[in-house]
């Protein structure tokens, strides 16, 4: 199994890059795991307490389970991915049965921060977007899709997202094999990765 790790700050457009890569590839042969699914379960906390969690700190992620799942997939076993809710800020009771495939993409802001997870990635890609672009995307998305208001998003950006990005995410760019700019000029970079994936599939 070939594991491709895709990191990059919030709103950098990791999802768009993943979709561009998957375009024209036989989908069932490429699996995806998102770090977002592995936020720690917080059943013991109230909703109010959960909204105060620092979701951009490595401690908020259940890396132990994520690594265990990836290892299982690598050895040919199926896993049950947790399903996370951004509305309740908690893990749901659902799981998502995931089978091993020849190529597996792991995507998330902090995935290169964990040494074990980093070592499991055969190819490490970092998606770069300028901070202002990321903030604009994040603002639009949180308001449109996650029911937050402008002040809430901007306060969280200043108090948490920006310092966490500088401390835990941006430095992991150094581990990347490829840095993809997230704009319309990234066609060549995306094509290169797609060729590598295709080679593995054939
Ligand atoms: N987050 C949140 N509420 C939660 C849990 C996480 O708002 N209950 C936020 C964290 O603050 C973190 C972000 O989710 O910054 C991580 O997701 P992000 O990388 O922004 O989303 P993707 O769609 O994976 O990435 P991209 O925008 O690059 O496509």
């Amino acid at each position: 199994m070939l594991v491709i790790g895709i990191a990059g700050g919030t709103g950098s457009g990791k999802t768009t890059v993943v979709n561009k890569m998957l375009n024209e590839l036989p989908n069932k042969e490429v699996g995806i795991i998102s770090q977002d699914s592995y936020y720690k379960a917080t059943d013991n906390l109230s909703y109010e307490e959960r909204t105060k969690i620092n979701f951009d700190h490595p401690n908020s992620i259940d890396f132990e389970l994520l690594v265990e799942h990836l290892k299982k997939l690598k050895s040919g076993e199926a896993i049950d991915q947790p399903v996370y809710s951004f509305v309740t800020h908690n893990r749901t009771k659902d799981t998502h049965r995931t089978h091993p495939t020849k190529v597996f993409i792991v995507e998330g802001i902090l995935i290169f921060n964990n040494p074990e997870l980093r070592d499991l990635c055969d190819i490490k890609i970092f998606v770069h977007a300028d901070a202002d672009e990321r903030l604009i995307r994040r603002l639009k998305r949180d308001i449109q899709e996650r029911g937050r208001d402008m002040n809430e998003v901007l306060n969280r950006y200043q108090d948490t997202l920006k310092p966490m990005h500088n401390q835990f995410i941006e430095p992991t760019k150094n581990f990347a094999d490829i840095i993809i700019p997230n704009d319309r000029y990234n066609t060549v970079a995306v094509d290169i990765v797609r060729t590598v994936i295709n080679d593995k599939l054939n």
Side-chain angles (χ1 to χ4, degrees), residues 6-18 34-36 39 50-51 53-57 60-61 84-90 107-110 127 134 137-138 141-142 145-146 148 156 160-161 169 182:
I6 304 188
T10 178
S12 56
K14 297 178 287 299
T15 314
T16 317
V17 169
V18 170
S34 171
Q35 173 211 288
D36 288 349
Y39 275 111
R50 280 189 226 127
T51 59
I53 296 173
N54 181 347
F55 296 113
D56 295 73
H57 192 284
S60 64
I61 311 288
Y84 183 77
S85 164
F86 283 93
V87 178
T88 60
H89 305 290
N90 199 6
E107 163 284 308
I109 52 176
L110 292 160
V127 181
R134 292 192 295 98
R137 286 195 204 122
R138 175 73 188 240
R141 186 190 65 191
D142 279 6
E145 295 169 25
R146 294 186 183 166
R148 321 245 165 114
R156 202 181 258 268
T160 314
L161 303 190
I169 302 169
N182 182 29

Side-chain angles (χ1 to χ4, degrees), residues 30-158:
V30 184
I32 300 187
I33 282 190
S34 171
Q35 173 211 288
D36 288 349
S37 307
Y38 289 80
Y39 275 111
K40 285 179 182 163
T42 48
D43 298 320
N44 52 327
L45 301 181
S46 68
Y47 174 80
E48 208 41 45
E49 287 168 323
R50 280 189 226 127
T51 59
K52 301 203 175 76
I53 296 173
N54 181 347
F55 296 113
D56 295 73
H57 192 284
N59 286 349
S60 64
I61 311 288
D62 192 347
F63 279 117
E64 209 178 309
L65 185 65
L66 180 44
V67 166
E68 182 194 315
H69 277 180
L70 202 54
K71 282 183 177 165
K72 275 196 176 153
L73 288 166
K74 269 202 160 181
S75 69
E77 280 178 67
I79 55 149
D80 292 311
Q81 276 196 63
V83 175
Y84 183 77
S85 164
F86 283 93
V87 178
T88 60
H89 305 290
N90 199 6
R91 202 176 273 181
T92 64
K93 298 275 169 268
D94 295 336
T95 53
H96 176 59
R97 190 82 179 151
T98 308
H99 296 275
T101 41
K102 281 190 188 168
V103 176
F104 228 92
I105 294 176
V106 187
E107 163 284 308
I109 52 176
L110 292 160
I111 58 165
F112 297 157
N113 202 274
N114 180 277
E116 227 186 324
L117 183 55
R118 202 164 63 221
D119 286 348
L120 284 167
C121 296
D122 301 299
I123 303 176
K124 292 183 272 301
I125 297 172
F126 193 98
V127 181
H128 169 86
D130 293 341
D132 56 353
E133 292 288 341
R134 292 192 295 98
L135 172 58
I136 292 170
R137 286 195 204 122
R138 175 73 188 240
L139 195 55
K140 286 185 176 167
R141 186 190 65 191
D142 279 6
I143 292 173
Q144 284 164 10
E145 295 169 25
R146 294 186 183 166
R148 321 245 165 114
D149 66 39
M150 190 177 78
N151 270 330
E152 193 183 349
V153 184
L154 293 182
N155 287 340
R156 202 181 258 268
Y157 186 85
Q158 283 185 310

Side-chain angles (χ1 to χ4, degrees), residues 162-201:
K162 186 173 175 176
M164 292 301 108
H165 181 86
N166 292 340
Q167 188 174 353
F168 297 114
I169 302 169
E170 192 65 26
T172 66
K173 205 181 236 180
N174 286 323
F175 297 113
D177 302 303
I178 304 170
I179 296 170
I180 298 190
N182 182 29
D183 53 30
R184 65 206 136 100
Y185 304 111
N186 67 10
T187 330
V188 175
V190 171
D191 273 349
I192 291 172
V193 180
R194 202 156 45 194
T195 308
V196 175
I197 297 177
N198 255 326
D199 264 13
K200 180 72 182 179
L201 291 176

